[in-house]
Amino acid sequence: MSNLIFNSVTKVFGEGSSKYVALSSVNFEAESGQLILVVGPSGSGKTTFLTIAGGLQTPSDGEVTINGKQLTNLSKKEQTKLRLDKIGFVLQSYNLVPFLTVKEQFRLVDKIKSKNLTEQKMNELLDDLDLSELLNKYPNELSGGQKQRVAIARALYTNPEYILADEPTAALDTDRSLAVINILKNLARKQNKIIIVVTHDLRLKDSADKVYQIIDGKMELL
Ligand code: ADP
Ligand code: MG
């Protein structure tokens, strides 16, 4: 059983008069098989929370543990390995490589990491996300929603234990949003993954096992 726990995590940016508390004593718990939603308005601390959960930023205070191991106690090398092996990020900016086609974005992942989805599983995923027709297109030939779905597919391609998604439905219409959330929910249920989605999209609320709300850096379980 995997888990991800925040114990009184605070994140402060800047100092003195420009000091800003982005997360304030945040407690959070996720375990295998769950789809967890963190909802909050823009500027409430969602991206800060998610990047700390994935070890892309460190907390100013408090502890983050993944499978019982405190993240900040791991060396940089161990953290990088953990991210590569276990975590799939869907970042707000999509992070697609501009000079690679959709298909090549996945081949690039193969160069960095082995044991990715089999071709058959991958084709199913591309079908589910309605991407099969777009494999030879470059990012600048795709709409925002298409890019977003490619970014989601790429995160899932490595078959990660944890999926951390930042506003993954922001560019999608309601049907596609619900389709994406259903894919994520199925992955949690059937493959026992931990899926954390931060969003200001309240359409997704009913699909989650657990919903936290974050406002001005303060998190509460709804
Ligand atoms: P959200 O994702 O909910 O929109 P963020 O986590 O991006 O919110 O930001 C929360 C607050 O922290 C915002 O007020 C933002 O300006 C501030 N913030 C985020 N990152 C930094 C940073 N690197 N330096 C200073 N302030 C930051
Ligand atoms: Mg954000």
Side-chain angles (χ1 to χ4, degrees):
M1 183 80 122
S2 307
N3 61 26
L4 172 73
I5 296 171
F6 273 52
N7 189 2
S8 200
V9 169
T10 293
K11 180 67 176 177
V12 180
F13 291 112
E15 42 190 287
S17 59
S18 65
K19 181 172 147 177
Y20 187 85
V21 181
L23 296 180
S24 174
S25 301
V26 165
N27 294 308
F28 172 90
E29 206 172 326
E31 60 187 42
S32 308
Q34 291 181 329
L35 167 64
I36 299 190
L37 222 57
V38 176
V39 295
S42 177
S44 57
K46 299 183 299 296
T47 297
T48 304
F49 163 77
L50 200 74
T51 49
I52 289 178
L56 296 174
Q57 296 199 80
T58 51
S60 309
D61 198 18
E63 290 175 356
V64 180
T65 58
I66 284 194
N67 300 349
K69 280 193 199 142
Q70 202 175 320
L71 260 189
T72 45
N73 286 346
L74 301 178
S75 67
K76 280 276 169 283
K77 204 171 156 188
E78 287 168 323
Q79 286 195 25
T80 305
K81 184 166 160 45
L82 176 87
R83 276 202 297 275
L84 191 61
D85 290 346
K86 294 198 193 302
I87 302 179
F89 284 102
V90 183
L91 296 175
Q92 244 172 331
S93 50
Y94 313 144
N95 285 36
L96 302 179
V97 183
F99 52 84
L100 297 180
T101 64
V102 169
K103 198 190 325 180
E104 288 164 348
Q105 311 277 337
F106 297 99
R107 296 288 83 88
L108 178 67
V109 175
D110 288 329
K111 291 197 175 142
I112 303 166
K113 185 182 177 290
S114 54
K115 297 201 207 125
N116 299 315
L117 291 188
T118 60
E119 186 142 1
Q120 192 199 333
K121 281 256 151 50
M122 179 63 187
N123 287 335
E124 283 170 24
L125 178 63
L126 292 172
D127 253 2
D128 288 347
L129 286 168
D130 225 345
L131 291 171
S132 308
E133 310 292 306
L134 304 174
L135 291 177
N136 294 317
K137 298 229 186 272
Y138 289 91
N140 70 4
E141 299 175 295
L142 303 175
S143 70
Q146 289 169 338
K147 279 189 261 207
Q148 184 145 45
R149 284 181 279 128
V150 173
I152 292 166
R154 193 185 49 183
L156 302 184
Y157 179 54
T158 62
N159 196 18
E161 200 174 316
Y162 293 83
I163 293 160
L164 306 181
D166 199 348
E167 310 262 12
T169 60
L172 306 181
D173 61 35
T174 299
D175 283 352
R176 284 232 157 84
S177 296
L178 295 175
V180 162
I181 232 41
N182 274 328
I183 290 171
L184 295 175
K185 194 169 173 173
N186 274 329
L187 284 172
R189 290 279 186 292
K190 293 185 183 151
Q191 298 183 32
N192 224 19
K193 295 181 189 299
I194 294 185
I195 320 251
I196 303 174
V197 174
V198 307
T199 185
H200 65 262
D201 188 349
L202 296 174
R203 291 175 300 187
L204 308 180
K205 248 172 144 179
D206 295 337
S207 309
D209 294 301
K210 218 171 165 183
V211 181
Y212 286 88
Q213 183 174 53
I214 184 166
I215 293 177
D216 293 337
K218 295 190 182 69
M219 184 103 90
E220 62 168 348
L221 185 60
L222 289 187

